[in-house]
Amino acid sequence: MDTGGSSESPVEPKKGKSKTPRKPKDSVLKQKSPAEFFAENKNIAGFDNPGKSLYTTVRELVENSLDSSESISELPVVEVTIEEIGKSKFNSMIGLVDRERVDEALYDDYETTKAREKRLAKEARAQEIQAKNALLGKKVKETPASKGMKGRGDASFYRVTCKDNGRGMPHDDIPNMFGRVLSGTKYGLKQTRGKFGLGAKMALIWSKMSTGLPIEISSSMRNQSYISFCRLDIDIHRNIPHIHVHEKRDNKDQWRGAEIQIVIEGNWTTYRSKILHYMRQMAVITPYAQFLFKFISDAPEKNVTIKFARRTDVMPPVPLETKHHPSSVDLLLIKRLIEETSKQNLLQFLQHEFVNIGKSYAERLIGEMGPDFGPKMAVKSLTSQQIVRIHQLFRQAKFDDPSGDCLSPAGEYNLRLGIIKELHPDMVATYSGSAHIFEGHPFIVEAGVSVGGKDVKQGLNIFRFANRIPLLFEQGADVVNRTALKRINWSSYKINQTQDKIGVFVSIVSTKIPFKGTGKEYIGDDISEIATAVKSAIQQCCIQLKSKITKKMQAREQQERKRSLNRYLNDVTGAVYGIISDTAKSRASKNKKKRYEDEDLDAETLREVSAKLITKERLKEELAQHIEKVDYEMLLEYATQSGVSEEPREAIYIQSLEAEPKFIDLHSPIFVFRLFQ
């Protein structure tokens, strides 16, 4: 045996392949701040990409402005400006000097010689094909302009400004309101526009991630002699505001409201339609608000200015904070309520911390809990087992449904005005249902259906709202979308689903909107209570429209009959006049005098024809007048049955000479009568 082989190199590779398992490092417990969590998971709050981030920033600022104005019952006036910032201007804002490229091949938009030749050859082939098509007489498509390669560093930046006439913010609270995530004034059980409680804080986080520039806030409250100005950003790791400037400035004009200005990375080109669509839908659901939207660019042809005028000064009531329904609470919530309550005993706790539990019913519940419970027992002394018993009884006992008094729907009046103002439909119907219940939370569904209109596509155009804010994304699985497409038989209501211009508007308000998905952009179709209420509301609108469409079809048929009569008027006149004229001549003959005296013909008419007092032209005029008379009578009957015309009309307000007019509003589902005193 050759023993020398044992010392050869083949043994070494085997040693190298057999890896020694690494010793795992000791795991270190780490903690993240709320700001750091949302910065790493920004898609949860709607900041998926630069374009969506620009849209979400505008939406958050607009909704904050509306909430601020409505909280003091002030008719909202909101101005939104998006200013495009070029690369050079942005660099000067952050103090960076522009630098020419030295090594072109270093950049990802560099085009190699081979890639350039390939692109030019492709363009030459396309031009050759177009030239051949032109010679053959075929339709020639315009050659798209050659696009240069765009690198990842070619970002677009925008300054977003939102100004309102709302409540304003206390001077000392501004830093925490913008620089501390999950801190705010909207927490509690009530109908709110916000979906996460982030507001402008997420926009500030995105600004810090994309531009590094701070946010600027100007605010002034009622009877405040100064304007609070604050420039700050956020310490993401510690979730605290980093204040640059926080000072009080003169308020010579006695301005009240808030103005927020922030610079972020965005994409106006791809999300232009979404932003404008959002503003238009917001004008539909809040016709009592006035919006002014501007987009400013270095290229004047790109500038956009749109004003959404106020159509009414009737605002919905402010949503009220309510208490929890017993069937909607869990163990953690019961424990938190026990810790925060100011009530001493169990009886008072049940009465005052939950809705629909009166004194007598609370005593019955306590008696059902067992011998360990009593009305006078200290609520703070409840054990974990006793709290579980209370929770079990809450889930099994029968309670009255909560009322919808705490909710603030847009109202049929406002919804109808908004649809007419923005779409100018041929006809519209609205419906507001009563309060329904889902998992102990009240909700109200309002609907509107329109036919025809300006800038409306053929087929179904679905507009979804949740707590009076538009939902533009992920509509495929939404309960409104599926109901309108699959559960409504449009043809039975005289509506053509594919050819008519149909607008379907559904607004859902609740203390808890059951959003699906992380983006919270749609309401699932798996909740039977909501699906049934949505279907019923749309059907009620369709029933109203069916009556209007039927009457309109009858009027159209009347017009068609009138046109047919007018079309044959000359022929009928000639035929009738010929018969009468021949009869008159025959009567004049003496040999036939006796025969015609016994006929039923009008002798006076025949004498007038013979004397040329009745001519062909006069007969034609009399027939035309008779057609007009019959048509007028039929139209009058139609107008009497159909009621007021559906054409939109501009409101005329007669103001009192007093500085502050006194009036009383009498509300109806479809109008508001204002009586000035």
Side-chain angles (χ1 to χ4, degrees):
M1 181 180 287
D2 187 6
T3 56
S6 61
S7 62
E8 290 179 358
S9 58
V11 181
E12 296 300 326
K14 290 185 179 179
K15 270 190 177 179
K17 286 183 180 178
S18 57
K19 296 181 179 179
T20 306
R22 294 182 180 179
K23 185 178 180 182
K25 292 182 179 180
D26 293 336
S27 57
V28 179
L29 183 64
K30 294 183 179 180
Q31 198 172 19
K32 288 184 179 179
S33 71
E36 193 174 4
F37 171 80
F38 282 106
E40 294 178 0
N41 301 276
K42 56 185 182 296
N43 61 301
I44 294 178
F47 288 76
D48 306 56
N49 53 63
K52 183 79 176 291
S53 299
L54 180 63
Y55 161 79
T56 306
T57 298
V58 171
R59 190 197 69 191
E60 292 286 359
L61 296 181
V62 168
E63 290 165 11
N64 281 351
S65 295
L66 289 173
D67 286 337
S68 179
S69 298
E70 292 173 3
S71 66
I72 57 173
S73 300
E74 184 78 22
L75 291 171
V77 178
V78 182
E79 299 178 11
V80 181
T81 304
I82 301 177
E83 180 185 355
E84 189 176 26
I85 299 176
K87 183 179 178 181
S88 299
K89 186 176 180 180
F90 174 74
N91 287 344
S92 64
M93 290 173 62
I94 62 176
L96 186 64
V97 179
D98 288 340
R99 178 179 171 83
E100 296 293 332
R101 294 184 177 184
V102 178
D103 188 355
E104 288 285 348
L106 186 65
Y107 297 88
D108 70 333
D109 59 352
Y110 172 71
E111 189 176 28
T112 63
T113 305
K114 186 176 180 180
R116 184 173 180 274
E117 290 175 353
K118 186 176 180 181
R119 176 174 58 82
L120 293 175
K122 184 178 180 181
E123 292 175 0
R125 285 196 301 271
Q127 292 176 359
E128 184 180 350
I129 292 171
Q130 286 202 341
K132 289 181 179 179
N133 290 338
L135 290 173
L136 295 173
K138 295 181 180 179
K139 188 176 180 180
V140 179
K141 295 182 180 179
E142 293 184 6
T143 307
S146 177
K147 296 182 180 179
M149 294 183 65
K150 185 175 180 180
R152 295 188 301 273
D154 294 336
S156 301
F157 301 98
Y158 302 89
R159 179 187 285 113
V160 182
T161 306
C162 185
K163 185 177 181 180
D164 63 62
N165 63 335
R167 178 192 296 272
M169 293 164 280
H171 179 80
D172 295 332
D173 292 344
I174 292 177
N176 284 330
M177 293 178 75
F178 286 88
R180 195 184 297 273
V181 174
L182 301 184
S183 65
T185 59
K186 298 181 183 179
Y187 295 112
L189 188 63
K190 65 177 180 178
Q191 173 190 327
T192 59
R193 282 194 173 94
K195 294 186 291 185
F196 292 99
L198 294 176
K201 305 177 188 71
M202 193 63 217
L204 177 56
I205 291 175
W206 172 247
S207 173
K208 188 174 180 67
M209 295 174 67
S210 60
T211 68
L213 293 172
I215 189 173
E216 293 185 355
I217 305 106
S218 299
S219 172
S220 181
M221 303 183 72
R222 182 176 291 172
N223 300 325
Q224 196 167 275
S225 60
Y226 60 88
I227 295 176
S228 301
F229 177 80
C230 187
R231 183 186 295 118
L232 60 87
D233 61 24
I234 185 171
D235 187 331
I236 291 180
H237 299 291
R238 295 194 294 166
N239 191 32
I240 59 173
H242 178 213
I243 301 172
H244 297 240
V245 179
H246 191 197
E247 61 186 13
K248 298 178 180 179
R249 298 180 176 179
D250 292 336
N251 189 9
K252 298 178 181 179
D253 299 330
Q254 296 299 310
W255 169 71
R256 186 191 73 237
E259 182 177 6
I260 300 171
Q261 190 176 102
I262 190 168
V263 179
I264 61 172
E265 181 186 349
N267 191 330
W268 167 257
T269 305
T270 56
Y271 274 78
R272 177 183 186 273
S273 60
K274 286 290 185 184
I275 294 174
L276 295 180
H277 195 43
Y278 168 82
M279 295 300 300
R280 187 186 188 192
Q281 288 201 31
M282 188 58 84
V284 168
I285 202 66
T286 54
Y288 52 87
Q290 176 178 304
F291 297 98
L292 178 62
F293 178 84
K294 293 181 181 179
F295 176 78
I296 302 174
S297 174
D298 293 335
E301 65 274 8
K302 292 184 179 180
N303 291 350
V304 177
T305 301
I306 303 177
K307 183 179 181 180
F308 300 91
R310 178 183 295 118
R311 187 60 186 264
T312 177
D313 57 359
V314 178
M315 295 174 59
V318 178
L320 302 176
E321 186 169 355
T322 185
K323 297 173 183 177
H324 294 275
H325 192 267
S327 64
S328 67
V329 297
D330 54 35
L331 278 172
L332 286 176
L333 183 54
I334 295 175
K335 290 180 180 179
R336 182 168 65 82
L337 291 175
I338 291 173
E339 292 175 359
E340 297 175 356
T341 187
S342 59
K343 304 304 175 184
Q344 300 298 321
N345 58 53
L346 181 58
L347 180 64
Q348 295 175 341
F349 172 73
L350 295 178
Q351 278 184 261
H352 295 91
E353 296 297 338
F354 301 95
V355 295
N356 295 353
I357 297 183
K359 182 178 180 181
S360 60
Y361 204 76
E363 291 174 345
R364 290 176 61 189
L365 289 172
I366 295 172
E368 186 66 23
M369 291 176 189
D372 296 336
F373 295 86
K376 299 297 183 180
M377 72 178 300
V379 68
K380 302 286 186 181
S381 64
L382 289 171
T383 64
S384 298
Q385 291 80 7
Q386 290 175 323
I387 294 175
V388 171
R389 174 59 185 146
I390 294 174
H391 179 239
Q392 290 175 347
L393 186 58
F394 279 175
R395 296 183 65 177
Q396 298 170 1
K398 180 174 65 176
F399 298 94
D400 292 337
D401 292 335
S403 68
D405 298 340
C406 60
L407 302 178
S408 175
E412 277 192 77
Y413 176 73
N414 282 332
L415 183 60
R416 188 183 189 88
L417 278 182
I419 295 172
I420 293 174
K421 178 171 75 81
E422 294 303 320
L423 270 67
H424 302 282
D426 299 330
M427 58 181 68
V428 61
T430 54
Y431 175 79
S432 180
S434 57
H436 299 271
I437 307 300
F438 164 67
E439 293 184 354
H441 294 276
F443 70 91
I444 294 176
V445 176
E446 296 176 300
V449 177
S450 65
V451 178
K454 183 179 68 174
D455 300 331
V456 182
K457 298 178 182 178
Q458 283 186 332
L460 290 176
N461 299 266
I462 299 173
F463 302 83
R464 304 170 294 134
F465 304 91
N467 280 351
R468 307 214 307 265
I469 62 172
L471 304 177
L472 302 187
F473 297 91
E474 302 181 35
Q475 67 175 6
D478 189 86
V479 61
V480 176
N481 195 71
R482 291 194 173 183
T483 300
L485 289 173
K486 299 179 180 180
R487 302 191 183 108
I488 303 296
N489 185 7
W490 295 97
S491 60
S492 64
Y493 301 104
K494 309 292 185 183
I495 300 174
N496 191 317
Q497 183 176 348
T498 56
Q499 295 183 1
D500 289 338
K501 298 178 178 180
I502 310 167
V504 180
F505 304 80
V506 176
S507 172
I508 303 174
V509 296
S510 176
T511 53
K512 180 184 178 182
I513 297 291
F515 289 112
K516 298 289 184 180
T518 55
K520 293 195 174 183
E521 287 288 349
Y522 75 98
I523 300 172
D525 192 34
D526 56 343
I527 303 170
S528 60
E529 295 91 341
I530 294 180
T532 302
V534 169
K535 181 181 178 181
S536 175
I538 296 176
Q539 285 177 330
Q540 290 296 325
C541 295
C542 291
I543 291 171
Q544 298 176 43
L545 286 179
K546 182 180 180 180
S547 175
K548 298 178 183 179
I549 292 172
T550 302
K551 293 174 182 177
K552 194 172 183 179
M553 291 171 65
Q554 293 173 351
R556 193 182 299 119
E557 290 173 0
Q558 293 171 5
Q559 291 292 330
E560 188 61 34
R561 285 196 296 269
K562 179 183 175 182
R563 280 194 292 268
S564 299
L565 290 172
N566 287 329
R567 190 182 303 121
Y568 299 109
L569 186 62
N570 289 328
D571 297 337
V572 173
T573 302
V576 173
Y577 187 78
I579 293 172
I580 297 175
S581 181
D582 291 344
T583 305
K585 290 177 182 179
S586 300
R587 186 181 183 280
S589 301
K590 293 182 179 180
N591 56 349
K592 295 182 180 180
K593 180 178 179 181
K594 184 177 179 181
R595 177 184 169 188
Y596 281 102
E597 283 177 349
D598 297 334
E599 300 263 346
D600 291 334
L601 295 172
D602 189 345
E604 183 66 27
T605 301
L606 295 178
R607 280 195 296 271
E608 289 181 357
V609 171
S610 299
K612 303 295 183 181
L613 296 176
I614 295 179
T615 62
K616 185 177 179 180
E617 289 71 20
R618 182 183 171 186
L619 181 60
K620 180 180 178 180
E621 183 180 348
E622 292 288 342
L623 286 173
Q625 289 178 358
H626 181 72
I627 292 172
E628 288 293 335
K629 181 182 178 181
V630 173
D631 181 67
Y632 174 76
E633 290 174 352
M634 296 177 75
L635 285 177
L636 185 62
E637 182 182 359
Y638 166 72
T640 304
Q641 293 177 356
S642 60
V644 182
S645 171
E646 291 300 322
E647 292 295 326
R649 302 186 181 190
E650 290 294 330
I652 299 176
Y653 298 101
I654 302 176
Q655 297 291 345
S656 172
L657 296 177
E658 300 177 7
E660 295 184 0
K662 299 179 180 179
F663 52 82
I664 299 174
D665 281 347
L666 305 177
H667 292 260
S668 169
I670 58 174
F671 72 90
V672 174
F673 182 80
R674 174 160 291 175
L675 179 64
F676 287 90
Q677 298 178 343

